[in-house]
Amino acid sequence: MEVIVEQTVEAMSRAAALEVAEILNAKPNAVLGMATGTTPLGLYKELAQMCRRGEVDFSHVTTFNLDEYVGLPVTHPQSFHYFMHENFFKHVNIPLENIHIPSGTASNYRAFCDWYENRIKECGGIDLQILGIGSDGHIAFNEPGSSLSSRTRLKTLAKPTIDDNSRFFNNRDEVPIYAITMGVGTILEARKCLLLANGKNKADAVSAMVEGPVTSMITASALQLHEDTKVFLDESAAGKLKMRDYYTWIQNKKPGAPQR
Ligand code: F6R
C-alpha cells in the first residue's frame, strides 16, 4: 500500500483525480470501478472539470459501481444510480451503455450478481477501482465479518453503516438494510485500487486498514494483500497512523516529488 497524505480534502481529491487521468490517458478504454458516498465527490468534480477542459476523455471508458441499496428504484434520490448520474455521469462524456451499476430491484438477485461478475470479466476486468472506507472499516458494503474472498452478492448492512447513512434519509427507518455489493474478492482482482478517506471520523478505520492485521473485521485491511493500492488521505484521516512520517518521507524521496 502506498499512503499519500495531503493537507486538505481538496488537495486529496485533486491528487486522486490526476492519478485517474494518468490511467485513462494511458488506456482510453479503461474499465473503472466507481464508489458513491461523500468521499469521492471532490474527485468526481475534479474529473468533470478535467473532462470539460479536454484533459481527460471518458468516451471509451466502461464503469462498474461497487454497490446499490436493495429496494430503491433508479429514480430514488438516495439510490446510487441517482447519485452517480447527478454527481458524475451527466458531467462527463461517457456513453450510457458503458455504465454498470448493481440493480436494487432485480427479481432474482443471485442471477443478477452472477451476471454482474461475468460482465466485469467480459469487459476485461477492472483496471482501476475507486474506493472509500466506512467508519467500521468496510469497503463497498463488505461489512465486518465478510469473507475476504467474497464475490458480488446480497449483503445485510451493519448498524454503524445504517447509522452513518441515515444522514441522507428522512429518518433511520428509511435506510435500506440490504445492499448488492461487489465482494472483497471481486475488488482485489482490480489491477489497481485507489482508496480515499478524509475527516477524523475515518482515522481509526484508516489506521486499522493500513497498519492493523489483515482481518475480515476490517475488510479494507484486505487491500494489504493487493499489489497496487494507493491510499489518498487528508490530514485528519491520517491522524492515527503510527508511521505517518515515514509515508511522507517515502513520497518526498520519489524522483521529482514536490516537498511536503
Ligand atoms: C459506496 C461504498 C462505501 C463508501 C463508504 C464511505 O459506494 O462502497 O463503502 O465508500 O461507506 O462512505 P462516505 O464516503 O459517505 O463516508
Side-chain angles (χ1 to χ4, degrees), residues 17-34:
L18 290 172
E19 189 78 28
V20 177
E22 193 178 311
I23 285 159
L24 294 188
N25 290 332
K27 186 176 180 188
N29 64 346
V31 177
L32 291 186
M34 312 299 291

Side-chain angles (χ1 to χ4, degrees), residues 113-125:
C113 294
D114 289 348
W115 174 84
Y116 203 70
E117 288 272 337
N118 283 331
R119 187 75 193 122
I120 294 173
K121 286 197 183 84
E122 273 170 17
C123 292

Side-chain angles (χ1 to χ4, degrees), residues 105-155:
T105 53
S107 54
N108 180 338
Y109 281 108
R110 182 167 287 203
F112 178 83
C113 294
D114 289 348
W115 174 84
Y116 203 70
E117 288 272 337
N118 283 331
R119 187 75 193 122
I120 294 173
K121 286 197 183 84
E122 273 170 17
C123 292
I126 293 174
D127 291 299
L128 174 68
Q129 178 64 58
I130 296 163
L131 296 162
I133 183 171
S135 57
D136 64 0
H138 70 224
I139 42 174
F141 273 138
N142 293 290
E143 298 287 29
S146 294
S147 159
L148 300 186
S149 315
S150 51
R151 312 301 307 188
T152 303
R153 68 204 185 291
L154 190 75
K155 186 78 191 125

Side-chain angles (χ1 to χ4, degrees), residues 72-83 86-87 168-169:
L72 299 193
V74 298
T75 50
H76 192 289
Q78 301 312 332
S79 75
F80 291 167
H81 279 77
Y82 190 90
F83 174 99
E86 284 304 305
N87 293 300
F168 300 115
F169 292 81

Side-chain angles (χ1 to χ4, degrees), residues 1-245:
M1 261 190 213
E2 189 176 334
V3 179
I4 298 125
V5 184
E6 299 287 349
Q7 290 200 329
T8 61
V9 60
E10 291 79 16
M12 175 199 81
S13 304
R14 173 88 188 138
L18 290 172
E19 189 78 28
V20 177
E22 193 178 311
I23 285 159
L24 294 188
N25 290 332
K27 186 176 180 188
N29 64 346
V31 177
L32 291 186
M34 312 299 291
T36 57
T38 308
T39 312
L41 283 174
L43 163 65
Y44 293 159
K45 219 175 184 173
E46 287 284 347
L47 287 173
Q49 282 166 5
M50 292 170 100
C51 185
R52 273 196 291 278
R53 294 195 297 258
E55 293 164 12
V56 68
D57 174 34
F58 288 86
S59 63
H60 299 289
V61 167
T62 298
T63 61
F64 285 89
N65 262 80
L66 285 168
D67 40 20
E68 177 58 288
Y69 288 121
V70 165
L72 299 193
V74 298
T75 50
H76 192 289
Q78 301 312 332
S79 75
F80 291 167
H81 279 77
Y82 190 90
F83 174 99
M84 286 309 297
H85 284 280
E86 284 304 305
N87 293 300
F88 188 58
F89 294 138
K90 78 176 189 190
H91 306 288
V92 296
N93 61 337
I94 184 165
L96 287 182
E97 62 273 19
N98 291 8
I99 296 169
H100 303 81
I101 304 176
S103 169
T105 53
S107 54
N108 180 338
Y109 281 108
R110 182 167 287 203
F112 178 83
C113 294
D114 289 348
W115 174 84
Y116 203 70
E117 288 272 337
N118 283 331
R119 187 75 193 122
I120 294 173
K121 286 197 183 84
E122 273 170 17
C123 292
I126 293 174
D127 291 299
L128 174 68
Q129 178 64 58
I130 296 163
L131 296 162
I133 183 171
S135 57
D136 64 0
H138 70 224
I139 42 174
F141 273 138
N142 293 290
E143 298 287 29
S146 294
S147 159
L148 300 186
S149 315
S150 51
R151 312 301 307 188
T152 303
R153 68 204 185 291
L154 190 75
K155 186 78 191 125
T156 312
L157 304 186
K159 283 196 177 135
T161 303
I162 295 174
D163 290 340
D164 283 350
N165 292 359
S166 63
R167 69 190 192 275
F168 300 115
F169 292 81
N170 293 326
N171 61 65
R172 196 181 182 281
D173 294 340
E174 281 183 18
V175 187
I177 7 178
Y178 302 107
I180 298 283
T181 181
M182 276 189 208
V184 181
T186 321
I187 293 168
L188 291 179
E189 280 173 11
R191 292 181 189 94
K192 188 178 184 87
C193 292
L194 290 192
L195 185 141
L196 283 75
N198 63 280
K200 66 174 191 300
N201 64 323
K202 297 291 174 71
D204 284 321
V206 165
S207 89
M209 163 182 72
V210 179
E211 297 177 340
V214 174
T215 167
S216 63
M217 294 311 286
I218 301 284
T219 54
S221 67
L223 293 167
Q224 291 178 29
L225 302 172
H226 190 272
E227 63 177 349
D228 190 2
T229 289
K230 286 194 178 183
V231 178
F232 288 89
L233 305 172
D234 74 347
E235 291 280 357
S236 317
K240 295 204 172 162
L241 288 171
K242 292 193 189 72
M243 301 214 298
R244 198 281 37 198
D245 290 348

